[in-house]
Each structure stands twice: as C-alpha cells, then as structure tokens.
Amino acid sequence: MTNPPIATVKAKELVSPNGTRTDNYYWLNERENPQVLDYLKKENAYTEQQMAGVKPLEEKLFNEMKGRIKEQDASVPYRDHGYYYYTRYETGGEYPLYCRKEGSPQGPEEVMLNGNEMGQGKSYFAIGGYAVSDDNQTLAYGVDSVSRRLYTLRFKNLKTGKLYPEKIANTAGSAVWAADNKTVFYAKKDVTTLLPFQVYRHTLGTDPGHDVLVYEEKDNTFGVGIERSKSRHYIGITLHSSLSSEYRYLEANKPAGEFKVFLKREPDHLYEVQDANGQFYILTNWEAPNFRVMAAPLTNTGKGQWEDVVPEREDVFIEQMELFKDHLVLNERAEGLREMRVINFSDEVGHTIPFRELAYTTYIGANPEFDTPTLRLTYTSFTTPATTYDYNMATHKLTLLKEQPVLGGFNKEDYVTERYFVTARDGKTIPMTVVYKKGFKKDGTGPLLQYAYGSYGISMDPTFSSARLSLLNRGFAYALCNIRGGQELGRKWFEDGRMLHKKNSFTDFIDCSLFLVKDKFTSPAKLFAEGGSAGGLLMGAIVNMRPDLYKGVIAEVPFVDVVTTMSDASIPLTTGEYDQWGNPADKKYYDYMLSYSPYDNVKPQKYPNMLVLTGLHDSQVQYFEPAKWVAKLRATKTDNNLLLLHTDMDAGHGGASGRFKALHDVARQYAFLFMLLGQKSVM
C-alpha cells in the first residue's frame, strides 16, 4: 500500500488573552505557496490511488445517475410583466439557458443567456441573480468563474443582444432596477471577508467608477442585500445578522432620493417587510419567538403603529410570507414539516393546503405577480420528485403542472418512508425521517447513511434525490436527522443548538445513531455519516466523541478549526458568525469552542474511515481547515483505517459547477461507501 503524504510540521504558537495553542499545520493556509499546492496534489493522488479499485464502479454510478436525468428539460414558465420566464437544459449541456416568451407560453422563444456558451472552456462557471428592467428591454446579471462568489455584473440589451461595456466586479451577484429603466442598485463585497457591505447606484451605460455609494455598513457582523418589492413601488436595502435585521426603503420612481429607515435595528429582533394594498406587512419575531405577521401604515412605520395580522403560535413557526392582492400565504412549520397556509384578506379565514405523505416539504415558488388568485408552489418528499403546482387560492383547486421526470424505470411505490421522534439524552425529541427500498430488512445487517446539518437555523427537509436511488437500490437506507441548531421545531430548536448549547447538535446526532442501531436499521459495522460545511463540523465532532459508532464518515467542506477561524476577523464570514458560535475574545466562548473544535480535539485513538472533501477556492470554509485537520489526524490517530482528502483545485464551497460535473462528486462519495463494504463492483 502506498504510504499517505505526511505534511511538514511547522509549529506556530497562536496567542490570545484566553490561552495559547500550538498549531503544527498553520502554514497550510498559504494558498499561493507551491509547497501547499504540492501537498494538496499529493493528497489527491493518494486518494485516487486508494480508490483505484472502485474507479469502474464510480464511473458506473456516475453514468447511472446521469441516466436518470432528462437531459433536454425545462422549468415551468412563470408570468412576469407580460413575459413568461423559464430555464431549460439542452442534451449534453452542463448549464441552463435562461429564456422568455412574450405574451404566451406558446410564443417564440427568446434566449436571454446561454450558460453553455458562456461557461465553455471554464473550469468553473455560475450565473448569479438576474433582473429585467421594467420596460422588459435590459437584463442585469452576475457571473462568477472562480467560485469565490464574487460576481461581475453585466448588462445586456435584450432587443439587440449586445452587451453594455461596463463590468462591475466583486458584487453580490444581482442588481435591482429602479422604475426609470436606467438606474440600478447593487451590493458590493469586501474582497477579503467576502461580506456584502456597500450599496451603489449605477446609471446604465456610464463608467462604474462614477457610481454613487448610497449606503455602507460599518458593523461587520451585518451583511447587506438589495431588493425590489413585489408591488414594484419600493427598492429595499436589507441589513441582516443572525439575530438582528434592519430595512431601508426608497420609492422606485425616485432613485436619486434618500433611503428611509423602516425600523432601526434592535438586539434579538429579526424582521422583513413587504407592501400590499396601501400598507406594509412585517414578518417579525418581536415578542414572538416563532414569528408573527403585523401591519403598519405607509406613512408611519414606528412600532407603536404595528398591529397583529397573524398572531404568534407556540406550536407553529412561520418561515416565509408571500403577499397577493387578496391573499396572504405563509410557509409554516408544524411538528418539523413545512406546509402552506393561505389567508383570505376579506374574511381573514385561513386554510392549509392538504398533502398526504407522512413526510414531505412544500415551498413557495416564483410568484412575481401581485394581482392574481394563483399561487405557484413546489412539493417534494423522499419518494416524490420535485413537483410544481398552481393553486387557486379562491377555489382551493390544486393543478399539477409538472413532476420532475426520473428516467430509468423509477417507481415511487417501490420505496418506504418512515418518521420517528428520537428521545435525546436530555429528554428532547428529535424528528428523524428514514427512507429505504422495499425488501430492506431491519435485522442490523443493512447499511445506512445518516445525514444532518444543525446550524444557523437552517432546516433540513425530506426532499427527493434521483442520485440517492443508487444507494437505496443497492440496499442502503438513508436517515435525515433534524438535530438542534436547525429551526424545524421553531426558534427554540435553533437557540438550543448554538453558542453555549452547540454540543446539543452533536449529541442529538449520536443519539439518532444509537436509535438506528438499537432498532436494527443497521450496526456500527455498516453505519455511515455525512455532513457538509457546518455539518462537516458535526462530522468532526462525532468522530472525536464516538468514533466506534461509524464505519465511515464523509465530511464535505468541513468547518473544523473553529477557534482559529473565529479568532481571525479577516477570514471570510467570521464576524457575521459570532452569533452562531460566540466571539473567542470572550473567555467563556473561547473555552467552550475549544472544548468541541474538531481540529483541537484530535487525540490518539481509533477513527472511522473518512473521506474529506474541499475546494481550493472555497468562499465559506477555507480549504486549509480540512487540509490541516487531515494532516493532524494522520499524525495522531492509532488505526489503519482510510483517511482520504480530495481538494477540487477549480471549485469552491458548492463543489463543481454544472449539473453533470457535480454528479462526479456524488459518485466518488458513494463508491467510497461501497468500497468500505468490500463491494468493488456492484450490480
């Protein structure tokens, strides 16, 4: 067996008022250092060598997954300002075409952007947001060809097809048009921290060097966004941190005016604003942890004028609202599941759109038009592909528009979904959804892949994956655990999984693992775990805490060097995350983070087989965190289990761009699982 690469030890003392640590691999953060790049390439070569025996299987899995995708496909068009907008893919194409038709879905097609032509020859390519001017003639869009999420803004005349000369670099990826069809507002990012912090006003066809700075955020725990209201009456600047927000607005027909503050930011107050029918509607957690909807007059937005429209409920968390002329739509969570409630403004009577599966999710789709009784929504589950519906809010009629096709003989009736509430060690109950193919035996002999995230209040829902069928069809079960740190059971569920309660996320995951073993879904010899980004932190924590429970672990772009990263305000996104993990300048947070940080808690013990994945240009979790972690694990662990690091030298946090390139990553992960089961070729 080829020996794994060994990273050079270069001890560096990391000194803070709260303690001094020695980091032997700190030097790996030198992205341009040839020695660093050489080490990463050697790790890639070692991974390729170790997985060479399952390379044919990896290719087979990739072709199988690709074969389930209808290559020539299109989204369901939505109507906006007289045009029908949609995206479509061509056979063999990695990227979508952004298209529209005037007046009717049957009209002649106009291709606004051809992603395949634009991305040709590039190792990475992504289009950010795009927006069309009110007169339907000019398109603003963002492009990233590095994967740092620093987008260059471009403008295209949709009548002539010609691009305007200006290129605005380092933006958040989208622009907002004023009503005059020549003024746009956009957010600019700090190129070091990657935090959007400025809003500029640009006049079409002019030198971007003359753009006017209309707002700059001085607090580096806040990010900046820009939006146009659905009514088109207002342009809004959204300012947001984890626990606080602020909204500023300007009439869209007065782009040279001053933005007004809707309500000054307050500690622990999150709110968002939309306007309809002559008043503002506010989705707010003011004295309502699970959020409520309130209304205020356009002329006075002070809190004293706010009135309840939908009061808070203890057992229901409001996640999103959408306003129409006659209806208010709420995307809510009850018992961990996402559902849709429609309220008629005339009688304030609400109803929930009924769906019958045991576990599912439904979310609001593209609904740019205000004066319509039709709600566009998407429904999916572990066994139902993404399905687009139109729902008549007046007649309560649900119309199926499209179920995403899955080629290759897929039949949803061949699969079983089960839902459990697992009792955690402190008595809390954790929602968990399991899916498997009929014939799976609960006798402890089957393999199972367990997944969770558990951070930032981001909820994980049971959604369909055609790629996952390659596991289920070969005897795997798959379990999704809604551990604390997400918001599946409301705001308190999030609060109980952050800051000084973060370890609840890790023990919840382990308790779900113990449940799966106890109920004979699997055994430690065939239990696998997967998580990415902050879910990669979860993977790093569980392998330190209970390495004996797992046969193998996949850690994607893992956030594993918590104390060092959170102590460096120059690292992208650090300052905006103090509300998640704490600020290590405060000793109580320093000590608590140090007690679970995966990198700091690597110790001489046996670890599971591990596949660690990262991207050299990752904008969220820097590549050097997983690289350092693997180097330290290699030097410390006491077993001979596989430890593989693969760095995508062209991609960032989201992995490879393109719909098929990304499947190569999934195929590699699945091949790793089968390899650990001793299955080099699987039917």
Side-chain angles (χ1 to χ4, degrees):
M1 177 184 293
T2 303
N3 291 327
I6 302 298
T8 305
V9 171
K10 299 181 183 181
K12 179 181 176 65
E13 281 199 340
L14 302 177
V15 181
S16 85
N18 296 320
T20 298
R21 296 171 297 130
T22 300
D23 189 342
N24 288 335
Y25 305 103
Y26 188 85
W27 65 276
L28 285 171
N29 70 355
E30 301 167 13
R31 191 191 311 269
E32 307 300 326
N33 183 340
Q35 191 179 357
V36 171
L37 296 174
D38 182 62
Y39 170 70
L40 295 176
K41 289 173 183 175
K42 284 180 178 176
E43 285 283 5
N44 281 355
Y46 177 70
T47 296
E48 289 298 315
Q49 188 267 338
Q50 291 299 307
M51 293 190 63
V54 289
K55 193 67 179 177
L57 171 60
E58 185 181 322
E59 286 301 312
K60 181 177 181 179
L61 289 167
F62 167 77
N63 289 322
E64 186 177 283
M65 295 172 193
K66 183 181 178 183
R68 294 193 189 100
I69 297 173
K70 184 181 179 184
E71 294 203 31
Q72 193 164 327
D73 199 13
S75 65
V76 179
Y78 63 86
R79 189 175 186 274
D80 185 19
H81 221 54
Y83 281 79
Y84 287 83
Y85 290 85
Y86 60 99
T87 58
R88 68 175 177 85
Y89 283 95
E90 295 180 329
T91 300
E94 288 281 1
Y95 304 107
L97 282 68
Y98 295 82
C99 309
R100 68 177 185 175
K101 296 180 178 181
E102 186 176 4
S104 163
Q106 286 74 47
E109 179 179 82
E110 178 184 344
V111 177
M112 299 185 296
L113 298 173
N114 187 323
N116 294 317
E117 292 179 0
M118 297 166 69
Q120 190 171 11
K122 295 180 173 66
S123 57
Y124 179 90
F125 176 75
I127 292 173
Y130 69 92
V132 178
S133 57
D134 288 16
D135 63 4
N136 295 316
Q137 292 195 24
T138 312
L139 177 73
Y141 64 96
V143 172
D144 174 17
S145 57
V146 179
S147 191
R148 291 287 283 172
R149 301 186 184 180
L150 290 169
Y151 294 88
T152 297
L153 208 57
R154 299 299 312 269
F155 302 92
K156 182 177 182 179
N157 185 313
L158 294 174
K159 295 299 180 186
T160 65
K162 293 183 178 180
L163 289 176
Y164 283 79
E166 59 258 48
K167 300 177 182 180
I168 307 175
N170 304 322
T171 77
S174 59
V176 168
W177 290 93
D180 64 0
N181 302 304
K182 65 180 182 180
T183 305
V184 296
F185 295 84
Y186 62 91
K188 198 123 183 177
K189 285 187 170 185
D190 183 300
V191 295
T192 301
T193 67
L194 303 183
L195 195 72
F197 74 113
Q198 295 173 323
V199 174
Y200 282 87
R201 184 176 70 234
H202 173 75
T203 301
L204 188 64
T206 66
D207 181 357
H210 299 151
D211 288 356
V212 178
L213 177 65
V214 298
Y215 180 79
E216 182 170 356
E217 178 55 54
K218 303 294 187 182
D219 185 341
N220 61 7
T221 67
F222 276 75
V224 174
I226 187 82
E227 64 184 25
R228 180 87 177 266
S229 68
K230 186 171 176 175
S231 68
R232 296 183 179 247
H233 293 157
Y234 297 101
I235 294 163
I237 296 175
T238 61
L239 306 162
H240 47 87
S241 71
S242 298
L243 303 176
S244 178
S245 59
E246 182 177 295
Y247 182 73
R248 295 170 179 239
Y249 62 103
L250 172 72
E251 291 183 46
N253 60 0
K254 299 176 181 177
E258 296 289 324
F259 281 83
K260 299 178 184 177
V261 179
F262 187 89
L263 179 75
K264 285 186 178 180
R265 67 191 67 176
E266 302 169 314
D268 300 317
H269 183 198
L270 290 165
Y271 74 91
E272 60 182 66
V273 179
Q274 298 180 32
D275 69 288
N277 302 325
Q279 59 182 345
F280 287 115
Y281 287 82
I282 310 108
L283 179 60
T284 170
N285 69 345
W286 171 45
E287 297 180 349
N290 276 347
F291 288 81
R292 56 178 165 167
V293 179
M294 305 185 79
L298 298 179
T299 53
N300 187 342
T301 61
K303 266 183 174 177
Q305 302 297 312
W306 294 14
E307 294 183 352
D308 264 340
V309 176
V310 180
E312 186 204 20
R313 288 155 292 162
E314 282 189 15
D315 58 342
V316 175
F317 175 75
I318 302 176
E319 196 155 87
Q320 186 183 0
M321 72 173 177
E322 184 84 27
L323 291 168
F324 296 87
K325 182 175 182 292
D326 297 322
H327 298 90
L328 166 65
V329 178
L330 300 176
N331 212 177
E332 301 178 327
R333 289 191 179 275
E335 296 186 333
L337 294 180
R338 202 171 179 182
E339 53 191 26
M340 207 78 68
R341 189 154 72 107
V342 179
I343 299 168
N344 192 315
F345 281 130
S346 63
D347 56 16
E348 297 185 355
V349 172
H351 67 276
T352 300
I353 301 175
F355 291 103
R356 295 181 180 176
E357 285 190 84
L358 183 68
Y360 63 88
T361 188
T362 180
Y363 49 92
I364 297 168
N367 289 277
E369 300 214 314
F370 179 68
D371 188 2
T372 175
T374 303
L375 166 70
R376 173 69 53 83
L377 64 92
T378 299
Y379 174 93
T380 183
S381 73
F382 274 157
T383 56
T384 301
T387 306
T388 304
Y389 289 99
D390 272 350
Y391 181 71
N392 189 304
M393 295 178 283
T395 65
H396 301 188
K397 183 182 178 183
L398 193 65
T399 302
L400 171 66
L401 301 179
K402 178 184 179 181
E403 181 175 290
Q404 186 61 37
V406 180
L407 307 182
F410 167 72
N411 179 2
K412 66 180 71 176
E413 302 303 323
D414 291 341
Y415 304 87
V416 177
T417 299
E418 297 180 1
R419 197 154 188 259
Y420 298 90
F421 287 87
V422 178
T423 302
R425 60 194 66 187
D426 63 357
K428 301 290 185 183
T429 52
I430 310 156
M432 181 173 71
T433 309
V434 183
V435 63
Y436 54 84
K437 191 171 185 180
K438 287 177 180 176
F440 179 88
K441 293 179 181 178
K442 298 178 194 174
D443 58 5
T445 64
L448 183 143
L449 178 60
Q450 181 183 345
Y451 177 86
Y453 186 72
S455 288
Y456 304 107
I458 296 173
S459 298
M460 294 288 114
D461 294 303
T463 58
F464 186 80
S465 163
S466 62
R468 191 190 299 130
L469 297 175
S470 291
L471 282 185
L472 302 183
N473 291 347
R474 291 175 171 85
F476 263 81
Y478 179 88
L480 172 67
C481 308
N482 298 136
I483 60 177
R484 278 173 280 189
Q487 234 162 204
E488 291 90 351
L489 294 180
R491 193 68 180 173
K492 185 69 165 56
W493 203 243
F494 163 59
E495 297 288 349
D496 283 351
R498 73 177 185 94
M499 304 288 274
L500 298 175
H501 304 291
K502 185 62 210 167
K503 289 181 185 176
N504 285 335
S505 303
F506 315 143
T507 55
D508 281 359
F509 189 89
I510 291 169
D511 289 343
C512 286
S513 300
L514 293 169
F515 174 91
L516 290 165
V517 171
K518 180 172 176 285
D519 270 38
K520 294 191 179 301
F521 273 97
T522 190
S523 68
K526 293 191 176 180
L527 175 57
F528 301 89
E530 178 188 8
S533 195
L537 163 65
L538 171 68
M539 296 298 102
I542 65 165
V543 296
N544 282 333
M545 295 166 70
R546 287 299 306 269
D548 57 306
L549 262 180
Y550 307 97
K551 175 71 171 178
V553 169
I554 299 171
E556 302 160 270
V557 292
F559 173 44
V560 285
D561 193 11
V562 183
V563 180
T564 305
T565 292
M566 293 307 298
S567 299
D568 186 349
S570 73
I571 290 178
L573 310 182
T574 289
T575 54
E577 308 229 331
Y578 291 150
D579 289 338
Q580 299 295 328
W581 323 105
N583 187 338
D586 184 328
K587 183 168 172 55
K588 69 178 178 183
Y589 293 116
Y590 178 94
D591 289 344
Y592 188 73
M593 279 188 266
L594 190 60
S595 74
Y596 70 74
S597 172
Y599 183 64
D600 293 288
N601 287 279
V602 170
K603 52 184 176 281
Q605 66 175 6
K606 292 181 179 180
Y607 281 87
N609 299 281
M610 296 169 64
L611 173 62
V612 182
L613 305 164
T614 187
L616 185 63
H617 301 290
D618 197 318
S619 59
Q620 315 295 106
V621 178
Q622 303 302 299
Y623 75 91
F624 45 80
E625 289 201 38
K628 288 168 53 178
W629 183 45
V630 167
K632 188 173 182 180
L633 280 165
R634 285 211 195 287
T636 310
K637 70 191 189 84
T638 61
D639 59 83
N640 292 317
N641 287 331
L642 279 178
L643 174 58
L644 305 178
L645 171 67
H646 181 269
T647 303
D648 189 322
M649 307 302 279
D650 298 316
H653 198 66
S657 63
R659 57 175 174 164
F660 300 132
K661 284 182 182 177
L663 288 180
H664 280 292
D665 293 341
V666 181
R668 179 188 297 112
Q669 294 169 36
Y670 288 2
F672 174 74
L673 300 180
F674 289 118
M675 181 174 68
L676 296 181
L677 293 171
Q679 302 172 11
K680 292 189 177 182
S681 61
V682 184
M683 295 300 291

